[in-house]
Amino acid sequence: MTQHSPSAACGCFHCGLPIPPEADFHARLDEAERDFCCFGCQSVCAAIYEAGLQGYYQRTPEGVLLGPPPEPPKDIEIYDFDEVQQEFTTCSGDIRDIHLLVEGIHCPACVWLIERGLQRAPGVQTVEVNLASKRLHLRWDNSKSRLSDLIRALARIGYSGVPYDPESAEGAIQKANRAMLYRLFFAGFAMMNMMWIAIALYSGANQDEFRGFFHWMGLLLATPTLLYSGYPFYRGAMGGLRAGHLTMDLPIALGLSVTYVYSLYVTLTNNQQGEVFFDTVTNLTFVILVGRYLEGMFRHQAVSATKRLMELQPRVAIVMLEGEEKMTPIRGVKLGDHVLIKPGYKVPVDGVVLEGHSAVDESMLSGESAPVHKSVGAQVSAGTVNTDGMLLVEVRAQLQDTTLSKIIRLVEEAQSSKAPIQRLADTIVPWFVLVTLICATVTFFIWNSHDFEIALMAATSVLIITCPCALGMATPMSIAVASGLGAKHGILVKNGLVLETLSKVTHFVFDKTGTLTEGKMSVAEIHVAVGADEGEVLRHAAAAERYSEHSVAKAIVAEVESRQLPYRSLEASGFRATAGLGVEASIEGKTVLLGSAEWLTRQGIELDAGLHAMAQTLETQAMSCVYVALYGKHLAIVALADKLRADAQQLVSELRAAGITMTLLSGDRRPVAEAVARQLGGMEVIAEVLPQDKDQVIQRLQQNGAVVAMVGDGVNDAPALIRADVGIALGSGTDVSVESADIVLMYNELDKVRQATQLSRRTLLTIKQNIGLSFVYNAIMVPLAMMAKVSPLVAAISMPISSLIVIGNAARIRTLFKKQ
């Protein structure tokens, strides 16, 4: 007969559950025979050892491990089709990015196992597991590994993964809430029945022959309550101890256990002097579970911004097929489809208007209350509402690439991130629990010399009343609420670090064109050299500039078209643009140069003295001048004006009043930039900066000790946005600058910068308040409990109240913009 390891007596080597008598699953591992409860556990354990990942078992709490491996998902080959993957993944060629919802994750050891197990698979680039949300972020090369292969690799080490879907994640939350409610109802039922026993005992039954009977009845009610309803406390406490951490469940589990064991001792020995406290056990379990359920409910409501954003996405769209309307699930809508949007309906896709005109309510995305007029050629975004007209829209973005989807991803990432101040709380909590245990022990020994039962109740009160929960939630709750509020008002914050850093900014750097100004250049004046034909010069200038996307080029082309001068018939070739200087092109065989004075000088063109002097005069009036050369001669200057944003003056004034220094950064001529600065009340000006040098300006400010925020909107700003401590991109900015920024302002309003600053300061203040509230609560209640002035039941009621206060205070952040 085979000699099995002692683990058989303790349970399955992999999952820790009892082994059924009929089970016959064994394997020899590390020169020892191991026993398993089922073939699934045996197979998973063998796979872990074959992969050289047996260190998992040293990192996992022994005896309360994973539970048997969950059933792997069926028909996973369907996830290999590109048509299916496009619903869940973001693609860059063969490089795919996906979030998987993983069943079976229980502890940090699971995170360690999954990350190291999948990193060995071919083509896998990054594996990141979020323990709190049970989500796996996976990036892999689809040409080297199929998604189904990676899901199978996950199943081989004991986990079931499916593409993350918000609705299924919401379902998992509801499932956990139901389990909590079942435990809560059971404890409530036991508590109500225990109340009659307690009334009988306190009414005199503890003095007669029924004393023992009522004690045993209390034991029969308290035991299943502790084992079933109190199981989450023991699971959390034991898991923390085996992982080497003191969790907030430990004091609760100790308090319940000590009270129960003493009551059990009195019942079994029929001790006539001692009293039983089974009613305390059931009452504490019920009240603490109520507190936890309320915490979870309020916490979910406080951070429900993501859920509200998800609800903006319509589930179906009306697709026009061969002139007929067809109701189509939103996941079935493809790029290029034509979607009909009726009055009062939500826009289901990102796209371009092909027919019709209407006003679209974009307040849910941008915070702008006034509907925006849309006609042919206008962009529309999913989640907005078509108010009064019929629109036919061509789909330009898939579901996962819409503006709304990107906002949801940013909010989720921000809500799950940690600010540096949270490290303080994370460091304190384990020590907090240790101090709690010491205080409870000291309390017991002090009171034990007077009365054992008072000592027991006082020590239990100390264990229950201390609440590191509030301290642990102080930061993440505030960040989650702030991120949701920001998203509601068109301020997308990418992580918690940004909120903390923005509140400490001492210096703002503003790009000029498109940030402080509207970025809508228009031709204000045109001056030509003596003998030059103004119309001829403008036609050649427009013929060259029509190939450029720069705002200067668009202004010159718009001016020529407004004069109805023919320029498209001119043959153009050899177009070349040099960033920060100008453009060059060959028009009808003649070289045309447009740009700065330096650009013409570099090309060997002699500047016209009269035109150059006029340009210098115009630049002092905040006009940008473009020098035009044709036939090898400097023939004209085109003066362009750009209006200041309406809210620029107010923002600059408020920042100046707050003691924040500012710099205007521009690639434009110094006189132009200085004229804009004067209109704003004066600030430091750094002008004529080439795009590649903008980030060096930021670096110099940082080296001088400034905490720098950069506000920009263009491609040229991207390096500076990355270099700054906080990069802020306006909603009118390009994709490059938005990707480079830490904060994205969805609506094209400069006042959102002020609101973002207010939000960051309010968030940091709330975090400090929450940490302070947690310390004040414990500083008052713990001494009262040690003085035996607080019963365990009052302690159980007080404990969740402190957490609810923290949640409520964090929720107050949502009132920040109500008066604005």
Side-chain angles (χ1 to χ4, degrees), residues 315-319 321 326-333:
R315 298 288 184 264
V316 295
I318 302 174
V319 178
L321 293 174
K326 182 180 179 182
M327 193 70 73
T328 306
I330 191 63
R331 294 186 185 278
V333 178

Side-chain angles (χ1 to χ4, degrees), residues 231-250:
Y231 172 72
F233 309 134
Y234 290 97
R235 181 183 58 196
M238 294 300 293
L241 285 174
R242 288 194 168 95
H245 298 294
L246 298 177
T247 67
M248 54 195 74
D249 286 317
L250 182 59

Side-chain angles (χ1 to χ4, degrees), residues 486-759:
K488 182 179 178 182
H489 287 82
I491 303 168
L492 299 184
V493 182
K494 291 191 176 180
N495 57 64
L497 172 61
V498 174
L499 282 171
E500 184 171 340
T501 306
L502 182 58
S503 67
K504 300 176 181 176
V505 164
T506 60
H507 195 105
F508 266 85
V509 176
F510 292 98
D511 177 52
K512 181 180 75 70
T513 306
T515 302
L516 290 175
T517 64
E518 293 180 352
K520 299 175 183 176
M521 308 289 283
S522 60
V523 175
E525 297 181 21
I526 301 172
H527 298 271
V528 297
V530 177
D533 183 341
E534 181 176 310
E536 185 73 7
V537 171
L538 284 176
R539 288 178 62 234
H540 282 77
E545 290 283 29
R546 65 181 171 177
Y547 296 105
S548 175
E549 289 295 319
H550 198 281
S551 57
V552 169
K554 292 178 180 179
I556 292 174
V557 171
E559 176 66 19
V560 172
E561 288 184 341
S562 69
R563 296 189 182 197
Q564 298 183 342
L565 297 174
Y567 71 94
R568 294 187 180 277
S569 60
L570 297 177
E571 184 180 344
S573 61
F575 177 82
R576 179 170 65 93
T578 302
L581 292 173
V583 299
E584 175 183 5
S586 177
I587 309 297
E588 300 284 345
K590 307 180 191 74
T591 299
V592 178
L593 298 169
L594 296 96
S596 64
E598 181 185 352
W599 176 239
L600 265 61
T601 303
R602 285 190 183 187
Q603 305 302 315
I605 303 296
E606 183 179 352
L607 299 180
D608 182 283
L611 292 177
H612 187 48
M614 176 61 69
Q616 290 176 326
T617 302
L618 293 172
E619 284 172 349
T620 61
Q621 301 170 24
M623 294 187 194
S624 300
C625 291
V626 178
Y627 290 68
V628 184
L630 183 62
Y631 310 117
K633 295 181 180 179
H634 178 200
L635 295 184
I637 57 168
V638 180
L640 301 160
D642 188 6
K643 290 183 181 179
L644 278 177
R645 288 181 183 269
D647 48 4
Q649 181 68 62
Q650 180 185 358
L651 173 64
V652 170
S653 299
E654 290 186 5
L655 292 176
R656 187 180 292 116
I660 294 174
T661 54
M662 288 164 286
T663 295
L664 190 154
L665 184 63
S666 176
D668 212 337
R669 294 269 299 158
R670 173 168 286 278
V672 178
E674 287 179 341
V676 171
R678 282 196 299 273
Q679 292 178 32
L680 293 170
M683 67 175 73
E684 180 188 13
V685 174
I686 301 178
E688 301 178 40
V689 181
L690 294 176
Q692 60 268 29
D693 296 332
K694 284 188 176 182
D695 68 316
Q696 296 177 12
V697 173
I698 304 292
Q699 187 176 22
R700 284 197 296 272
L701 291 169
Q702 290 171 328
Q703 289 171 347
N704 292 332
V707 180
V708 181
M710 169 72 189
V711 186
D713 79 324
V715 176
N716 293 342
D717 300 325
L721 290 169
I722 294 172
R723 173 75 67 180
D725 296 288
V726 179
I728 304 175
L730 289 180
S732 59
T734 63
D735 288 339
V736 176
S737 65
V738 167
E739 290 296 325
S740 306
D742 300 304
I743 296 176
V744 180
L745 306 180
M746 291 300 298
Y747 196 67
N748 194 11
E749 278 186 5
L750 201 55
D751 188 56
K752 295 292 181 184
V753 175
R754 177 185 62 83
Q755 290 187 337
T757 305
Q758 285 183 328
L759 181 63

Side-chain angles (χ1 to χ4, degrees), residues 19 54 64 75 93 99 193 200 216 232 240 293 295 337 357 363 400 465 468 479 516 519 559 627 647 751:
I19 299 177
Q54 56 267 35
V64 279
D75 301 325
H99 287 269
N193 285 277
W216 280 99
Y293 181 76
E295 281 178 31
D337 281 353
H357 60 272
S363 60
Q400 69 272 21
I465 207 165
I479 289 175
L516 290 175
E559 176 66 19
Y627 290 68
D647 48 4
D751 188 56

Side-chain angles (χ1 to χ4, degrees), residues 463-481:
L463 290 171
I464 299 298
I465 207 165
T466 50
C467 187
C469 314
L471 184 61
M473 288 192 296
T475 300
M477 276 301 305
S478 301
I479 289 175
V481 174

Side-chain angles (χ1 to χ4, degrees), residues 428-450:
I428 288 175
V429 166
W431 294 102
F432 193 97
V433 176
L434 179 61
V435 170
T436 298
L437 299 178
I438 293 172
C439 288
T441 304
V442 170
T443 301
F444 178 80
F445 282 111
I446 290 175
W447 282 103
N448 190 41
S449 59
H450 300 283

